[in-house]
Amino acid sequence: MSKKDLVMEVKDFSFTYAGVDKPSLNKINLPIEKNKITAMIGPSGCGKSTLLRAMNRIHDLYTGNRYEGEINLYKEDDSIQNILKLKKENDFIQLRQEVGMIFPKPTPFPMSIFDNVAYGLKLSGLKDKAEIEHRVETALKGASIWNETKDRLKKSALGLSGGQQQRICIARAVALKPRVLLFDEPTSALDPISTGAIEELISELKKELSIVIVTHNMQQASRLSDSTAFMYLGDLIEYDKTDTIFLNPSEKLTEDYITGRFG
Amino acid sequence: MGGTFFKNFSFFSATLSFFLLIGIFSILFSYAQDALHEFGFDFLFNEVWEADEDDEGGIFGGFIPIIGTLLSTLIAMIIATPLAMGIAIFLTEIASSKIAKPVSIAIELLAAIPSIIYGMWGLFYFAPIVQEYIGGNGVGLLTAGIVLAIMILPFMAAISRDAMQTTPAVLKESAYAMGATKFEVIKDVIMPYAKGGIIGSVILALGRALGETMAVAFLIGSVMSIPSSITDPSTSIPVLLANNFAEAQDLEMSAMYYLALILFIVSLVIISIAKFYFLRTKVK
Ligand SMILES: Nc1ncnc2c1ncn2[C@@H]1O[C@H](COP(=O)(O)OP(=O)(O)O)[C@@H](O)[C@H]1O
Ligand SMILES: [Mg+2]
């Protein structure tokens, strides 16, 4: 795997939360491949969300966290940006438009469906109404929720079901045309049918962007992902092609977890 | 058996408060009858307040105290609302918890100070400042309005802050994750989310400002004259009632009940609107 196939790369990344002595992540190394789905699995509390939330610097909304190492973003012009070096609000904004995030619970804003999806576009300074309408429609279609919402775009997004809300959140992120989308257990609050719809959507999305998904559902990881990272107590134990991780892992710990001996 | 007793007791208390409300209203209404008959709705626009020589009749109009109440409250709201929002936003989104904690405590303490103390402080400290920098002779609508604003500010800020703090962290995080700035998160997520509580706090503060007696009595000047500028002295409904109650008789007394009735109805309407907003946020 050459660097050309990567969109991000985590290098020797350690992270300690404010007010805590013990690091939550120890020297993590993880490549994120372009137009692939990378899954992070591991028992609850092993640091999956912590790692994911470092990749768009959302941790920085809270003060006092300590970290070291590198998280590199490979830009479209082939330049390399260590996102841990960013300091200015403008740089964060740019990073977050390039690296979007979907949260465990649907988080529609208290505004209409249309305004939810248009929100990021308006933030990014897009003013042309026709263009915004076009991108909202494309994003809603891309998130396979256009048919359900096209007649009620002006209605509040809070009136939708949980699964629909989560797809609105995905549409909202996709509308910004990010290069990477980070999913933190996106289906943990949803029923099986909505979960199926979201999974299908995620597989579709990898044509256009690169995906990292945290899940505690091993079937989900094996169904969806191309590569899988197994984490345990703040360490990255094993990273490989998903088939290898699930069928022929090289670490005993991975095997024990996969076969359900703990977790 | 104890259960029945308790049930009856709580039923009694609940109905009691309802009957109190009705009772107060009917007393105000019946005592105001004479003035209602004599002056009708013209009362609201008549600026004369004069007893006859023999103290038995006279002409009484509520225009001045009504205008005085409205103007001093308006000044207070114009000053207090933006400041309270600023403080609430600062405490929820901007200040570190090291600063937010002591400031929050100070604000809650300020809200607990009895209004007469604000009145005294306003008279001795604030009135001269207004006189020197803005004009007038110290006491007047503006001074009363400013000190009223200072009085209702902590209360408004504390309730708005509570409302803003109910915004879920993930909701704010999702906005930041789309590239929103702090200002945009406050404007597009926190304010809409806390809207009900914020409006409720403003309306409750409005009710409090309208009915405030002691602080305003010190500062408004208590004269029956139409103000021609905001630094002029005037009077307000509660102040007029407090000042004249001891000596008034017959028709003047009835006219004062008329004023009290107006204040009662306005306050009730305001509280009901505020409740409506609070209830709506809770349901959501
Ligand atoms: N805000 C926080 N402050 C302190 N410790 C935290 C915080 N968030 C998470 N942790 C700790 O960091 C570790 C990793 O948490 P997390 O990344 O959320 O795990 P996962 O997503 O894999 O379930 C856990 O031990 C958790 O208790
Ligand atoms: Mg997690």
Side-chain angles (χ1 to χ4, degrees):
Chain A
M1 171 174 55
S2 80
K3 295 263 178 219
K4 264 199 152 2
D5 305 320
L6 296 188
V7 61
M8 287 184 95
E9 188 170 24
V10 181
K11 281 185 171 169
D12 288 331
F13 180 69
S14 301
F15 186 96
T16 312
Y17 278 105
V20 181
D21 292 331
K22 210 171 113 336
S24 289
L25 293 174
N26 309 307
K27 297 213 175 242
I28 304 290
N29 285 284
L30 178 69
I32 307 296
E33 289 177 88
K34 246 183 223 165
N35 293 93
K36 293 274 157 61
I37 299 180
T38 307
M40 293 187 205
I41 59 171
S44 173
C46 69
K48 305 180 295 291
S49 301
T50 306
L51 179 56
L52 198 73
R53 289 159 64 85
M55 297 170 74
N56 67 348
R57 298 284 304 264
I58 208 82
H59 280 305
D60 290 70
L61 300 178
Y62 310 97
T63 51
N65 301 323
R66 288 151 287 154
Y67 47 78
E68 54 193 65
E70 286 176 29
I71 297 182
N72 291 327
L73 180 65
Y74 295 95
K75 304 283 232 181
E76 256 159 340
D77 61 4
D78 286 334
S79 65
I80 302 174
Q81 178 184 51
N82 179 0
I83 64 163
L84 298 183
K85 290 250 154 66
L86 301 179
K87 287 208 175 66
K88 291 194 241 104
E89 189 174 39
N90 269 345
D91 294 337
F92 285 142
I93 289 172
Q94 213 166 27
L95 168 68
R96 288 167 189 162
Q97 287 176 343
E98 241 173 294
V99 182
M101 178 170 248
I102 306 294
F103 294 79
K105 274 195 203 147
T107 53
F109 299 136
M111 46 179 95
S112 74
I113 294 171
F114 184 91
D115 288 342
N116 260 281
V117 182
Y119 188 64
L121 299 173
K122 285 179 184 160
L123 289 184
S124 71
L126 192 62
K127 295 240 161 57
D128 182 350
K129 265 199 165 160
E131 171 74 5
I132 291 180
E133 269 171 35
H134 172 70
R135 298 238 333 230
V136 168
E137 181 174 335
T138 315
L140 285 167
K141 281 179 179 155
S144 13
I145 190 160
W146 172 248
N147 285 334
E148 289 151 81
T149 54
K150 62 173 186 246
D151 300 321
R152 51 194 294 196
L153 291 175
K154 293 274 168 279
K155 299 242 170 71
S156 169
L158 303 178
L160 298 169
S161 76
Q164 290 172 324
Q165 288 184 356
Q166 193 63 309
R167 273 180 285 159
I168 292 293
C169 293
I170 295 173
R172 191 168 75 183
V174 169
L176 277 172
K177 302 201 172 140
R179 296 176 55 229
V180 184
L181 254 189
L182 311 170
F183 289 83
D184 192 354
E185 308 205 19
T187 60
S188 61
L190 303 181
D191 60 84
I193 292 176
S194 309
T195 299
I198 302 273
E199 285 184 8
E200 206 171 303
L201 173 54
I202 293 175
S203 318
E204 277 296 308
L205 284 176
K206 83 169 170 180
K207 287 183 204 141
E208 287 143 48
L209 41 85
S210 317
I211 288 165
V212 185
I213 179 169
V214 165
T215 175
H216 62 224
N217 177 336
M218 278 182 277
Q219 285 74 37
Q220 186 167 67
S222 68
R223 276 196 298 267
L224 280 179
S225 66
D226 301 292
S227 317
T228 297
F230 169 61
M231 295 176 66
Y232 185 65
L233 296 181
D235 291 312
L236 196 146
I237 305 294
E238 188 171 354
Y239 166 82
D240 216 319
K241 294 264 162 279
T242 297
D243 290 345
T244 314
I245 291 279
F246 280 92
L247 299 175
N248 190 18
S250 28
E251 297 289 329
K252 176 84 169 50
L253 211 51
T254 313
E255 188 178 340
D256 286 350
Y257 183 71
I258 300 297
T259 52
R261 242 165 273 171
F262 71 93
Chain B
M1 223 201 69
T4 333
F5 171 75
F6 190 72
K7 217 167 115 187
N8 287 339
F9 182 73
S10 42
F11 179 73
F12 173 75
S13 324
T15 34
L16 181 69
S17 50
F18 186 67
F19 278 112
L20 265 178
L21 212 57
I22 306 258
I24 292 172
F25 177 81
S26 5
I27 289 186
L28 292 180
F29 190 68
S30 69
Y31 283 18
Q33 276 307 310
D34 287 349
L36 275 163
H37 273 290
E38 186 77 23
F39 309 117
F41 280 119
D42 290 344
F43 182 78
L44 304 181
F45 307 103
N46 187 352
E47 56 201 65
V48 181
W49 188 279
E50 255 174 30
D52 288 345
E53 299 281 305
D54 59 5
D55 260 358
E56 271 174 11
I59 299 174
F60 302 102
F63 188 68
I64 292 170
I66 290 172
I67 285 292
T69 305
L70 292 180
L71 284 178
S72 56
T73 304
L74 185 70
I75 293 169
M77 297 307 290
I78 289 174
I79 297 171
T81 311
L83 284 177
M85 294 311 123
I87 293 174
I89 289 169
F90 175 77
L91 290 178
T92 25
E93 253 339 81
I94 297 169
S96 69
S97 63
K98 259 194 214 128
I99 299 173
K101 273 231 181 78
V103 174
S104 289
I105 293 173
I107 282 178
E108 268 145 35
L109 289 178
L110 278 176
I113 295 178
S115 58
I116 191 164
I117 292 172
Y118 280 102
M120 292 166 66
W121 171 78
L123 184 63
F124 292 110
Y125 182 79
F126 222 82
I129 295 180
V130 173
Q131 183 173 22
E132 183 169 343
Y133 291 101
I134 304 176
N137 49 14
V139 292
L141 287 172
L142 184 65
T143 317
I146 293 175
V147 174
L148 264 180
I150 296 171
M151 270 186 61
I152 57 178
L153 181 64
F155 168 78
M156 223 199 256
I159 299 187
S160 301
R161 176 207 55 190
D162 290 349
M164 291 180 193
Q165 278 175 346
T166 60
T167 316
V170 279
L171 205 58
K172 291 187 255 174
E173 285 178 5
S174 341
Y176 282 115
M178 316 246 349
T181 59
K182 186 163 269 189
F183 173 73
E184 285 157 346
V185 171
I186 292 168
K187 174 169 72 75
D188 300 326
V189 179
I190 298 178
M191 294 300 263
Y193 195 88
K195 193 170 70 187
I198 292 172
I199 295 177
S201 83
V202 171
I203 297 174
L204 283 179
L206 176 65
R208 192 165 166 209
L210 281 175
E212 175 54 35
T213 314
M214 281 326 297
V216 182
F218 272 87
L219 300 167
I220 201 166
S222 307
V223 297
M224 263 295 181
S225 68
I226 296 189
S228 57
S229 89
I230 57 166
T231 50
D232 278 356
S234 185
T235 193
S236 77
I237 298 177
V239 170
L240 179 118
L241 297 182
N243 285 343
N244 294 23
F245 216 77
E247 296 107 52
Q249 289 170 9
D250 304 331
L251 192 58
E252 183 173 11
M253 195 53 130
S254 181
M256 284 167 49
Y257 274 102
Y258 194 167
L259 278 179
L261 184 66
I262 293 170
L263 193 59
F264 178 80
I265 292 172
V266 171
S267 310
L268 215 61
V269 168
I270 284 172
I271 300 291
S272 314
I273 298 173
K275 275 274 170 296
F276 171 74
Y277 273 106
F278 278 128
L279 281 182
R280 250 199 354 186
T281 26
K282 289 215 181 92
V283 172
K284 193 174 68 180

